[in-house]
Amino acid sequence: MSALLKTRKVIGTLRRRLNDEHKQRMLHRALRTYAHAPSQFAAYNNRVIDRLVRGWNNESWSAMGEYLVACLNYTISSDGPILECGTGLTTIAVGLMAKTLGKSVWSLEHNPEWAEKVAGYLKTYRVDSVHLNVCGIKGFSGFSWYDAPLEVMPQFSLVICDGPPASMDGGRYGLLPVMKSKLKPGAVILLDDALRQEERTIASRWASELNTSYTFVGADRPYIVLTLPQG
């Protein structure tokens, strides 16, 4: 490797490190502001939410502002525990919101390393409203889903569904057949990544099995809202 290429590589590495450090500082400043009064920031296009998303530094996977704000507002209006499938920025932001409201969040995560990262933020910001469950992916008949601790889980009024990865057998379909007994009548499911055909197919299948309907919401990053029948 020539001296010029080595220099460029070093400079590139340094730039990425500085950028990561900048985003970490941005995230922590935004989290400190948000943690004082989460409900003040449950609106799209506000500076704190934007900084949370950019500071999290995982734009390809983490909830973007529009979906994150929807999760926050549904957390406010929900009347019981919240189930989160897949963890990340939503775990922290929704967890802080739930803490102020006296609500609980049960989060399912199959990746131990990622769960450890999220748990670190929960500890730093004293988010004791979140039950973070590290559980493997289990094979069922025709699909895979989290091996969730069903025997100790409550009834949920809201589901934030951003996992497991679409590459798993059946993608996120397993939420309904596995968790249906834990969903309250009238529970709301927020399904992320509505631009993907896989998610639209899953939502259509859920709606058919529940004899209900669903809607597409959002402009920048559409998501699906599906409400379970009341009876």
Side-chain angles (χ1 to χ4, degrees), residues 92-143:
I92 304 158
V94 169
L96 283 165
M97 179 72 79
K99 180 178 179 179
T100 67
L101 300 170
K103 299 177 182 180
S104 64
V105 182
W106 288 67
S107 300
L108 306 178
E109 176 57 55
H110 75 286
N111 186 315
E113 291 77 18
W114 185 254
E116 184 177 359
K117 174 182 177 177
V118 173
Y121 282 95
L122 296 177
K123 182 178 180 180
T124 297
Y125 291 93
R126 300 177 181 178
V127 189
D128 55 8
S129 57
V130 175
H131 303 270
L132 180 55
N133 297 269
V134 183
C135 44
I137 301 294
K138 180 180 177 181
F140 293 84
S141 179
F143 62 90

Side-chain angles (χ1 to χ4, degrees), residues 179-192:
M179 304 300 303
K180 185 177 180 181
S181 65
K182 293 295 181 178
L183 303 182
K184 290 183 176 181
V188 173
I189 299 173
L190 302 179
L191 179 61
D192 197 13

Side-chain angles (χ1 to χ4, degrees), residues 49-87:
I49 294 296
D50 178 63
R51 288 176 175 173
L52 285 177
V53 172
R54 289 192 292 125
W56 187 245
N57 201 17
N58 190 38
E59 287 90 345
S60 296
W61 294 96
S62 66
M64 301 301 278
E66 204 166 14
Y67 181 67
L68 178 58
V69 166
C71 294
L72 297 178
N73 280 287
Y74 275 98
T75 295
I76 294 171
S77 62
S78 68
D79 63 356
I82 298 153
L83 172 64
E84 182 190 32
C85 308
T87 62

Side-chain angles (χ1 to χ4, degrees), residues 9-228:
K9 184 176 181 180
V10 169
I11 292 174
T13 300
L14 180 59
R15 283 177 174 170
R16 287 191 294 272
R17 183 180 303 165
L18 291 173
N19 183 59
D20 289 345
E21 291 174 356
H22 168 70
K23 288 191 173 183
Q24 272 291 297
R25 291 193 296 271
M26 180 192 298
L27 175 63
H28 284 291
R29 286 196 298 267
L31 279 172
R32 286 193 293 270
T33 301
Y34 173 82
H36 284 301
S39 60
Q40 292 184 10
F41 304 104
Y44 190 41
N45 285 333
N46 74 76
R47 187 172 298 176
V48 171
I49 294 296
D50 178 63
R51 288 176 175 173
L52 285 177
V53 172
R54 289 192 292 125
W56 187 245
N57 201 17
N58 190 38
E59 287 90 345
S60 296
W61 294 96
S62 66
M64 301 301 278
E66 204 166 14
Y67 181 67
L68 178 58
V69 166
C71 294
L72 297 178
N73 280 287
Y74 275 98
T75 295
I76 294 171
S77 62
S78 68
D79 63 356
I82 298 153
L83 172 64
E84 182 190 32
C85 308
T87 62
L89 179 58
T90 50
T91 314
I92 304 158
V94 169
L96 283 165
M97 179 72 79
K99 180 178 179 179
T100 67
L101 300 170
K103 299 177 182 180
S104 64
V105 182
W106 288 67
S107 300
L108 306 178
E109 176 57 55
H110 75 286
N111 186 315
E113 291 77 18
W114 185 254
E116 184 177 359
K117 174 182 177 177
V118 173
Y121 282 95
L122 296 177
K123 182 178 180 180
T124 297
Y125 291 93
R126 300 177 181 178
V127 189
D128 55 8
S129 57
V130 175
H131 303 270
L132 180 55
N133 297 269
V134 183
C135 44
I137 301 294
K138 180 180 177 181
F140 293 84
S141 179
F143 62 90
S144 298
W145 187 251
Y146 299 101
D147 190 11
L150 296 174
E151 65 280 358
V152 297
M153 299 179 86
Q155 298 286 117
F156 298 103
S157 60
L158 172 64
V159 181
I160 298 170
C161 190
D162 193 21
S167 59
M168 299 294 179
D169 187 19
R172 299 167 184 173
Y173 168 73
L175 167 66
L176 186 60
V178 175
M179 304 300 303
K180 185 177 180 181
S181 65
K182 293 295 181 178
L183 303 182
K184 290 183 176 181
V188 173
I189 299 173
L190 302 179
L191 179 61
D192 197 13
D193 301 312
L195 285 176
R196 297 197 310 221
Q197 184 57 49
E198 294 89 343
E199 276 24 76
R200 298 184 183 202
T201 300
I202 288 168
S204 179
R205 190 173 176 186
W206 284 347
S208 176
E209 294 176 9
L210 290 167
N211 193 28
T212 188
S213 59
Y214 60 91
T215 57
F216 290 94
V217 184
D220 296 334
R221 180 167 172 169
Y223 55 94
I224 290 167
V225 179
L226 185 149
T227 303
L228 273 67

